[in-house]
Amino acid sequence: MEKIKGYANYGVLAHEKQVIFTVETKHPHADVSEEVEMELPEGWKVAETEAGGLLIESPEGETWPADKVIDSFADAPVLSYFDGVKGHRITLVWNLL
């Protein structure tokens, strides 16, 4: 399984009691940010743009910028995307680094 590094951000304004997950950069309004590693589900892949940005590719071949598809739900990182028919949310396994 592929893994992607990101941040667990705490104390984000208006989300003080929630953990907000981000990819590539810490949240600008977080009081504290910890580096984490998130495990993508089987079949999902990580790629890189020519400019160095991270992309995530679904098993069906759809590609999104990582910061647009990784979100937060119930204090866990999730893959949150719309496949053209309905929305999906897949909870990711994560660990502090």
Side-chain angles (χ1 to χ4, degrees):
M1 293 194 180
E2 296 216 26
K3 297 180 181 183
I4 189 169
K5 290 185 182 178
Y7 296 92
N9 302 279
Y10 306 93
V12 175
L13 188 61
H15 300 279
E16 289 87 355
K17 296 183 183 205
Q18 300 171 319
V19 182
I20 303 297
F21 289 88
T22 56
V23 180
E24 298 191 74
T25 61
K26 298 175 184 179
H27 194 288
H29 302 294
D31 289 335
V32 176
S33 297
E34 296 180 304
E35 194 169 6
V36 298
E37 185 174 67
M38 297 171 262
E39 196 172 294
L40 297 178
E42 193 69 40
W44 289 77
K45 298 178 183 175
V46 178
E48 193 172 301
T49 66
E50 289 182 15
L54 293 176
L55 299 171
I56 295 181
E57 183 180 324
S58 74
E60 295 79 30
E62 295 289 328
T63 303
W64 299 277
D67 61 347
K68 300 291 184 198
V69 72
I70 291 188
D71 203 355
S72 306
F73 184 77
D75 291 338
V78 294
L79 284 173
S80 182
Y81 64 98
F82 183 73
D83 68 4
V85 177
K86 67 178 186 171
H88 298 272
R89 183 184 303 137
I90 302 169
T91 303
L92 303 177
V93 174
W94 64 284
N95 297 304
L96 289 173
L97 292 180

